[in-house]
Amino acid sequence: MLFNSLDYLLFLGIAIAGFWALLHHRVARLAFIFAASCAFYMAWNPYYIVLILGSTVIDYVCGAQIFAIWERQRELEREAPGNTYRENNIVAMAARLERSKKRWLYVSLATNLGLLGTFKYFNFFSSASADVLSIFGFVIESPPVLNVLLPVGISFYTFQTLSYTIDIYRGRLTPAKSVLEFAFFVTYFPQLVAGPIVRASELLPQLTKKPRLTRTAASRGLFLIGTGLVKKVAVADFLSVNVVDRAFDQPELYTSAEIVVALYAFTMQIYCDFSGYTDVARGSAMLMGLDLPENFDRPYQATNPAAFWRRWHMTLSTWLRDYLYFPLGGSRGAPWRAYWNLWLTMFIIGMWHGASWTFVVYGSMQATAMVIHRFLFKRSGRTKDTKDSLWLHIAKVIACMQFVVFSRILFRASSWQNAEDVTNQLLEGSTLLGHITPTVWAVLIGTFVLHYTPKKWFASIEATFIKSPAAVQGVLLVIVGAQGFSLLLVCGNHFVESDVPE
């Protein structure tokens, strides 16, 4: 069920109506949205509901067991040792409890990462292993292949459930009050398919309170849904159909200049696609009195790779920072170790988006760029408070943007051969732009101009919408919906499900 479809809008309307109808019945309200979320997920593939429910049950049990061990450890700490023999017993018991706590954490890690690795990365590692072995003369004609669909949203809900058990293990979170509450958190439909990655510490506390919807929150939710649909349909889908897909499917038919335009178009397409989905997700949640975290902050205004990843898919970047980079040691210890921790974290961010050699190289490029930036920054004598001149700031934004745009060849290419074909055509040197229509130019230039306007301008537009009478808001949303529907009719079957990478 696509966010940019009439089916989703009808589904959302029913879900919101049921949610508020059960305002005074917390358990029934949670059960209703949980059932709706399962139906939403099963609309894609009914069989894979077993995976997400299985992961939910296992992580709920692991979290409960880890917390129970924590409670027992605290009891032991409160017990005053009466003699040396008893003190030694308490120390031994505490050590056994710590090992047991780790075993439950490992069960959660093995289950979630095992499912993610099997469904998303098995085929890649199988073929990659065959490629490596062939170098040493061991030829495998047909490496094993898992002929199954990738479960939608598995990268998102895997990280969400892991945050739950890890935070309980660290003593930073208490378990959900019931398996229903935890299942609501895992399967909540607005963020299930394309994020943002919501941590248990962010959503679970909201479920314990009676929801409340103000006029401002409702208006903001509608505004986010409207802007999200505009990003998705009017920009992302339009650019995909009219230039990006064509250029990457048959690069030999396009000049070097047209390939450059296609790369800029894809850069804006993937941003509007992903951030548009996030906007709709956040807006949908707001209409139920719930807040989901922001995921994008005008990333193409970044002045360096580190700033870019602080603005792009922020919930993924901060998740890996808190659950991988910091546990590895972060920037503590020897300089080489800090650079390795940074490189590995950024490489995994790249690989998270896809399983192929193109993403291996893409992740390596992003990781290396981050390491180089950190190395140069440390030796520049600059601090976080150092201000650039206007022209230097603009130059840095332009330079960072070029790195983002041209590295996206690997992000978008369907295969390594496709990436080579696009790159060769890019370097060919021809300058004609006959395939780029005036409408494509208008959409592409217009969206980039809007992206680089001050953030406060967009905030003022949002504030004006929120203050407008409900009738005016309704008319504006109908206009947006009508325009989107017209685009769908014009483009027909070209608009397919977003392949926002996970």
Side-chain angles (χ1 to χ4, degrees):
M1 191 183 300
L2 304 180
F3 278 3
N4 58 317
S5 68
L6 182 60
D7 288 344
Y8 177 75
L9 295 179
L10 294 173
F11 171 84
L12 179 62
I14 295 171
I16 292 172
F19 182 89
W20 292 111
L22 298 169
L23 175 62
H24 303 293
H25 307 278
R26 179 176 177 274
V27 173
R29 185 174 67 249
L30 295 179
F32 175 77
I33 295 300
F34 167 65
S37 297
C38 289
F40 175 84
Y41 194 81
M42 292 172 70
W44 170 76
N45 187 314
Y47 301 106
Y48 280 176
I49 192 67
V50 174
L51 294 178
I52 191 171
L53 293 183
S55 180
T56 298
V57 171
I58 290 173
D59 283 316
Y60 178 76
V61 171
C62 290
Q65 292 297 322
I66 292 171
F67 186 74
I69 296 170
W70 262 116
E71 292 288 278
R72 180 57 182 146
Q73 287 178 318
R74 293 187 181 102
E75 290 178 6
L76 289 176
E77 290 174 0
R78 291 192 293 266
E79 292 182 13
N83 52 55
T84 304
Y85 175 77
R86 178 165 175 74
E87 185 176 349
N88 289 338
N89 282 343
I90 289 176
V91 171
M93 186 179 295
R96 288 196 299 270
L97 289 173
E98 188 63 30
R99 289 194 296 270
S100 180
K101 192 168 63 175
K102 286 183 178 180
R103 282 195 292 269
W104 284 107
L105 176 64
Y106 294 155
V107 170
S108 175
L109 292 171
T111 300
N112 288 284
L113 297 180
L115 288 174
L116 180 62
T118 299
F119 283 93
K120 187 169 184 177
Y121 297 101
F122 178 85
N123 289 346
F124 167 67
F125 284 126
S126 176
S127 62
S129 299
D131 292 341
V132 172
L133 289 173
S134 66
I135 297 175
F136 299 98
F138 300 98
V139 178
I140 301 176
E141 295 293 342
S142 300
V145 174
L146 190 64
N147 291 314
V148 294
L149 292 172
L150 175 66
V152 66
I154 189 171
S155 299
F156 293 95
Y157 70 73
T158 294
F159 278 20
Q160 290 192 181
T161 56
L162 281 178
S163 76
Y164 175 78
T165 50
I166 294 173
D167 282 350
I168 293 177
Y169 175 81
R170 291 175 173 177
R172 299 176 181 175
L173 181 72
T174 56
K177 297 182 183 302
S178 66
V179 67
L180 175 60
E181 189 176 284
F182 182 63
F184 181 105
F185 156 69
V186 176
T187 63
Y188 188 44
F189 69 88
Q191 46 78 48
L192 182 58
V193 174
I197 298 173
V198 184
R199 303 188 192 187
S201 58
E202 295 170 325
L203 187 56
L204 284 179
Q206 298 184 57
L207 304 184
T208 62
K209 305 172 184 177
K210 189 175 182 178
R212 180 172 173 266
L213 183 65
T214 63
R215 183 187 184 280
T216 298
S219 298
R220 185 153 188 255
L222 292 173
F223 183 81
L224 282 172
I225 291 174
T227 54
L229 291 175
V230 169
K231 287 180 180 178
K232 168 63 181 162
V233 177
V235 181
D237 287 346
F238 178 83
L239 292 176
S240 174
V241 169
N242 289 281
V243 60
V244 177
D245 292 350
R246 297 175 183 178
F248 273 85
D249 289 345
Q250 294 181 297
E252 69 278 2
L253 301 181
Y254 288 78
T255 65
S256 300
E258 289 168 342
I259 293 294
V260 171
V261 173
L263 288 173
Y264 275 91
F266 176 67
T267 299
M268 185 53 68
Q269 174 206 331
I270 197 66
Y271 166 71
C272 288
D273 205 333
F274 216 162
S275 67
Y277 264 92
T278 300
D279 289 345
V280 174
R282 297 182 68 221
S284 300
M286 282 183 185
L287 296 179
M288 287 178 270
L290 299 173
D291 287 325
L292 301 182
E294 191 173 359
N295 212 16
F296 294 88
D297 183 18
R298 301 199 172 201
Y300 301 145
Q301 292 187 11
T303 56
N304 56 67
F308 173 78
W309 284 104
R310 286 195 296 268
R311 292 167 171 260
W312 177 273
H313 206 335
M314 296 184 290
T315 57
L316 172 64
S317 299
T318 55
W319 197 100
L320 285 169
R321 179 198 66 193
D322 295 343
Y323 296 104
L324 179 64
Y325 179 68
F326 287 159
L328 287 173
S331 58
R332 301 187 303 273
W336 71 266
R337 183 58 186 266
Y339 287 126
W340 165 249
N341 294 341
L342 179 62
W343 191 94
L344 181 61
T345 301
M346 291 308 305
F347 175 75
I348 290 177
I349 285 180
M351 286 299 297
W352 183 89
H353 288 87
S356 68
W357 283 114
T358 56
F359 281 103
V360 169
V361 179
Y362 176 79
S364 300
M365 288 176 62
Q366 298 298 323
T368 303
M370 288 283 283
V371 168
I372 292 173
H373 169 260
R374 180 182 176 86
F375 177 83
L376 295 176
F377 182 81
K378 288 291 184 181
R379 280 151 183 77
S380 67
R382 297 169 61 86
T383 68
K384 293 181 179 179
D385 297 324
T386 303
K387 299 294 184 181
D388 294 323
S389 67
L390 175 61
W391 291 110
L392 180 58
H393 179 84
I394 292 174
K396 286 184 175 181
V397 171
I398 293 173
C400 183
M401 184 62 184
Q402 306 321 302
F403 174 73
V404 171
V405 169
F406 291 100
S407 67
R408 287 271 167 81
I409 294 176
L410 295 164
F411 199 100
R412 174 58 180 80
S414 57
S415 65
W416 187 260
Q417 184 60 54
N418 185 221
E420 287 186 356
D421 293 340
V422 171
T423 302
N424 290 337
Q425 200 64 20
L426 175 67
L427 299 175
E428 191 254 349
S430 50
T431 58
L432 295 178
L433 291 166
H435 286 101
I436 312 300
T437 66
T439 308
V440 169
W441 280 119
V443 171
L444 187 58
I445 294 174
T447 49
F448 269 107
V449 168
L450 287 173
H451 190 83
Y452 286 106
T453 56
K455 194 175 181 179
K456 62 182 180 181
W457 291 9
F458 190 78
S460 67
I461 295 174
E462 180 181 1
T464 302
F465 178 87
I466 291 173
K467 294 176 182 177
S468 300
V472 174
Q473 293 180 3
V475 169
L476 291 173
L477 291 172
V478 167
I479 292 173
V480 169
Q483 292 300 316
F485 184 68
S486 299
L487 279 170
L488 288 172
L489 288 178
V490 170
C491 296
N493 294 328
H494 288 295
F495 285 150
V496 296
E497 182 172 357
S498 166
D499 58 347
V500 171
E502 293 187 347

